[in-house]
């Protein structure tokens, strides 16, 4: 199983809205590298749900429930989406500041490619972030 991080601005699509809906298509991704990451996702993969711009923190864990298919919001027909469902909140959330303060994350995609909306998460980074939340 692979791990990922997906980003959403909470004013556009928040963790609470996601939990209420119980499942969503991760549409609107147009960056080529992020699309490659979406195409690599497998059913059952886990994703950190990250609030970008406001909050700048990992707030939940989601699961991929449907692999890549054409994004219906892309009129050009080039983009893909995946379906995800919420698993559990990350309480307390792990902030970007917390992550950046730890040198173990210098190669983490959220730090290295901060604007990318879908990034892979190594097993090591996944375990560290889960531990950071539990240890607060």
């Amino acid at each position: 199983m692979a791990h990922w991080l997906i980003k959403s601005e909470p004013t556009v699509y928040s963790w609470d809205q996601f939990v209420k809906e119980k499942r969503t298509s991760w549409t609107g991704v147009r960056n080529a590298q992020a699309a490659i990451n979406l195409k690599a996702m497998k059913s059952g993969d886990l994703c950190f749900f990250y609030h970008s711009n406001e909050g700048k923190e990992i707030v939940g864990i989601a699961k991929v429930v449907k692999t890549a298919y054409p994004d219906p919001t892309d009129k050009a027909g080039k983009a893909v989406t995946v379906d995800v469902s919420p698993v559990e909140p990350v309480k307390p959330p792990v902030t970007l500041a917390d992550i950046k303060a730890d040198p173990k994350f210098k190669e983490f995609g959220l730090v290295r490619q901060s604007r990318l909306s879908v990034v892979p998460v190594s097993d090591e980074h996944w375990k560290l972030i889960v531990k950071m939340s539990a240890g607060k």
Side-chain angles (χ1 to χ4, degrees):
M1 171 184 3
H3 297 107
W4 306 92
L5 180 138
I6 54 178
K7 290 181 178 182
S8 181
E9 294 181 31
T11 56
V12 176
Y13 192 76
S14 69
W15 172 257
D16 290 340
Q17 184 178 352
F18 180 44
V19 169
K20 185 177 178 183
E21 292 178 2
K22 298 182 178 148
R23 180 176 176 147
T24 194
S25 296
W26 208 255
T27 59
V29 175
R30 301 295 184 262
N31 175 280
Q33 183 59 53
I36 289 168
N37 293 338
L38 284 175
K39 290 175 187 175
M41 290 179 168
K42 306 283 185 230
S43 284
D45 283 356
L46 295 177
C47 310
F48 285 128
F49 190 107
Y50 178 81
H51 277 168
S52 62
N53 292 339
E54 289 179 32
K56 295 184 181 180
E57 58 191 3
I58 294 170
V59 295
I61 296 174
K63 179 168 61 174
V64 177
V65 294
K66 184 176 180 183
T67 57
Y69 62 95
D71 182 340
T73 68
D74 179 25
K75 292 181 172 91
K78 296 178 182 178
V80 296
T81 185
V82 298
D83 288 0
V84 290
S85 63
V87 173
E88 64 184 325
V90 170
K91 288 193 176 182
V94 176
T95 68
L96 180 58
D98 292 338
I99 291 168
K100 284 183 170 183
D102 188 330
K104 292 180 190 129
F105 289 101
K106 70 178 182 180
E107 295 300 318
F108 183 39
L110 181 62
V111 174
R112 284 184 41 247
Q113 295 175 292
S114 62
R115 296 185 52 106
L116 198 58
S117 62
V118 180
V119 295
V121 178
S122 70
D123 290 343
E124 177 189 2
H125 287 150
W126 183 272
K127 290 173 188 170
L128 285 169
I129 290 168
V130 168
K131 187 177 178 183
M132 287 169 77
S133 177
K136 285 187 177 181

